[in-house]
Amino acid sequence: MTTGIIYDPIYLEHRIGQHVESHERLIAIMDLLKEKGILDDPNFKLIEPRSATLDQIRYVHSESLINEVKKISEIANSTGHIQNLDMDTSVSARTYEASLFSVGGNLEAVDRILKGDINNAFSIVRPPGHHSRKDKCSGFCIFNNIAITAEYLLREKKIKKLAIIDWDCHHGDGTQDIFYHGSPSEKSEVLFFSSHQDGRTLYPGSGFVNEVGSGKGEGKIINYPLPPKAADDTLMIFFEEIIKPICYDFKPEFILISAGFDTHWTDRLTNMGWTYQAPANFLYKLMTIADDIVKGRIAITLEGGYEIDKQAIAVYNCLRVLNNEKNRIIEEKPRKSDKDLLNYINTKLIPSMKTKLSTYWNCF
Ligand SMILES: [Zn+2]
């Protein structure tokens, strides 16, 4: 079993000052992996990313967005000052280049999986991507890494169907928007699951049950908006009640994961209640179906996570699970959702999702 880790110091060069989406996040992750011996373990392979091509970025983004990122990076370079694309999305002198490698790291990961060089992979990249739309960068994101990777698999690698699972605490609104009317590639299908803190209580304010896609994408956008303080148990319900039956019905050929770790109960930007072992336990469940339906082909990309030490542990835990070593994850005291919250999930949220989705899926 070989798990790929895609990383390069170029990702530290998106250097945006005191911003919470700091290069320190990746330094902490890599330090922990080194300390825990993962980087010396032959079951893990450290892989250098490549730069994505502009044609690949164009799979999901407009020419004007690409030019804007390039131009603003050049201004940051010539002035020596960090620039802003919007209120919370900053750009430094090497952001454009780092962003091309952030996408390219994910492309390299899926290539290696398809070649059989590795079984699965985690791309430890930044800037993140899931809030970026065709025409607009936002929410700390530049190019939509996971959406471009999905389109790459569909257009260049003959994959016909794939599933994206986004467990970042914020709704993956950019990814949803790109695939809302179906994949931009003709004849291909993309299924998008997003679990996140309810948009009434957190940026970006979207991701409700009634957002199910339209046209060719109808029924393939699946949102699981969680109330603040939802704990690990709510994620397992999502897996058992929604993800598992739909994936067996849909039969994707590849699973891509947008992994944010800002769901931790201490995260400064959010109000969720997950432990740092929750994502790994969720991933473990996903791997049980991945073996059946996608030959274990899972590629994970890093999104958010702003408590630096906690997100590092959560990434480490996911790597252990990818490598079939769940027994080696680091666990903190378990957390459970309160009774009323669980009652809401079981008697309101899940039934309303099933009612809505039963129009499109035979499993309900
Ligand atoms: Zn987030």
Side-chain angles (χ1 to χ4, degrees):
M1 187 76 180
T2 309
T3 295
I5 299 172
I6 292 76
Y7 173 76
D8 191 274
I10 181 74
Y11 301 136
L12 309 180
E13 297 299 320
H14 170 55
R15 190 69 67 107
I16 48 177
Q18 295 303 308
H19 202 288
V20 288
E21 201 290 286
S22 155
H23 63 286
E24 302 280 350
R25 300 174 57 225
L26 266 56
I27 292 174
I29 293 168
M30 296 309 288
D31 282 352
L32 183 68
L33 300 189
K34 193 170 179 194
E35 182 195 319
K36 294 286 176 190
I38 282 202
L39 300 181
D40 301 316
D41 184 331
N43 293 325
F44 293 91
K45 195 175 221 175
L46 188 61
I47 294 169
E48 281 181 22
R50 63 180 193 252
S51 174
T53 67
L54 289 181
D55 279 342
Q56 289 161 341
I57 305 297
R58 288 183 194 112
Y59 289 161
V60 313
H61 291 300
S62 64
E63 205 64 36
S64 63
L65 178 141
I66 299 169
N67 289 338
E68 188 183 18
V69 175
K70 186 163 186 259
K71 194 178 98 198
I72 294 182
S73 290
E74 284 165 2
I75 295 171
N77 189 36
S78 60
T79 60
H81 295 297
I82 294 161
Q83 304 292 309
N84 288 312
L85 277 165
D86 73 359
M87 262 170 52
D88 52 21
T89 311
S90 304
V91 167
S92 68
R94 296 192 71 196
T95 292
Y96 177 66
E97 192 184 357
S99 303
L100 290 171
F101 274 87
S102 190
V103 176
N106 284 282
L107 303 186
E108 186 66 25
V110 297
D111 275 354
R112 298 284 189 117
I113 293 171
L114 288 172
K115 274 185 211 155
D117 184 25
I118 53 177
N119 299 90
N120 48 37
F122 199 137
S123 298
I124 300 171
V125 301
R126 55 185 290 282
H130 75 150
H131 293 304
S132 286
R133 295 157 189 254
K134 182 181 178 191
D135 291 310
K136 186 160 173 32
C137 301
S138 56
F140 318 163
C141 297
I142 306 294
F143 298 142
N144 194 316
N145 301 316
I146 204 156
I148 298 166
T149 307
E151 281 298 304
Y152 171 76
L153 285 169
L154 301 171
R155 296 179 195 223
E156 297 188 36
K157 298 290 160 184
K158 298 193 173 83
I159 296 287
K160 292 273 178 243
K161 288 175 164 191
L162 59 84
I164 298 175
I165 295 165
D166 184 326
W167 72 52
D168 188 276
C169 200
H170 301 90
H171 176 230
D173 58 335
T175 311
Q176 170 171 304
D177 196 59
I178 288 165
F179 296 113
Y180 204 76
H181 305 285
S183 158
S185 325
E186 297 294 313
K187 298 179 199 157
S188 304
E189 292 181 73
V190 175
L191 181 59
F192 178 64
F193 297 98
S194 180
S195 62
H196 45 267
Q197 187 176 322
D198 193 310
R200 288 169 292 194
T201 61
L202 188 70
Y203 176 91
S206 53
F208 298 102
V209 171
N210 63 354
E211 296 164 30
V212 291
S214 76
K216 281 185 187 167
E218 198 170 350
K220 296 195 184 72
I221 302 286
I222 295 155
N223 285 303
Y224 185 56
L226 288 164
K229 299 198 171 147
D232 305 19
D233 39 18
T234 57
L235 197 51
M236 297 305 150
I237 297 170
F238 185 35
F239 174 80
E240 291 294 342
E241 299 292 330
I242 305 289
I243 294 179
K244 188 173 165 182
I246 292 182
C247 277
Y248 275 116
D249 205 342
F250 181 68
K251 298 189 179 64
E253 296 161 67
F254 216 111
I255 292 177
L256 300 176
I257 298 176
S258 267
F261 300 99
D262 42 6
T263 47
H264 192 265
W265 62 278
T266 62
D267 196 278
R268 67 195 62 197
L269 294 192
T270 68
N271 317 96
M272 203 71 105
W274 300 11
T275 60
Y276 48 61
Q277 63 267 26
N281 286 327
F282 185 37
L283 176 60
Y284 179 75
K285 289 275 188 185
L286 292 170
M287 285 180 67
T288 61
I289 59 170
D291 283 344
D292 271 2
I293 55 179
V294 293
K295 300 178 197 146
R297 297 192 293 214
I298 294 183
I300 305 181
T301 190
L302 184 67
E303 301 284 0
Y306 306 105
E307 296 308 315
I308 287 184
D309 298 344
K310 311 294 188 326
Q311 54 107 45
I313 296 171
V315 170
Y316 165 82
N317 283 344
C318 286
L319 281 167
R320 284 292 181 204
V321 168
L322 283 176
N323 210 248
N324 285 339
E325 298 175 297
K326 186 172 179 289
N327 58 322
R328 298 183 72 175
I329 68 174
I330 302 170
E331 295 187 76
E332 62 183 310
K333 191 173 155 222
R335 295 178 69 85
K336 285 195 166 70
S337 306
D338 75 36
K339 244 190 212 164
D340 287 349
L341 195 152
L342 272 184
N343 193 40
Y344 163 75
I345 302 284
N346 285 318
T347 64
K348 298 242 165 52
L349 182 59
I350 292 285
S352 73
M353 290 174 76
K354 286 185 175 174
T355 303
K356 190 86 193 159
L357 294 168
S358 62
T359 313
Y360 316 105
W361 300 99
N362 294 328
C363 50
F364 299 127

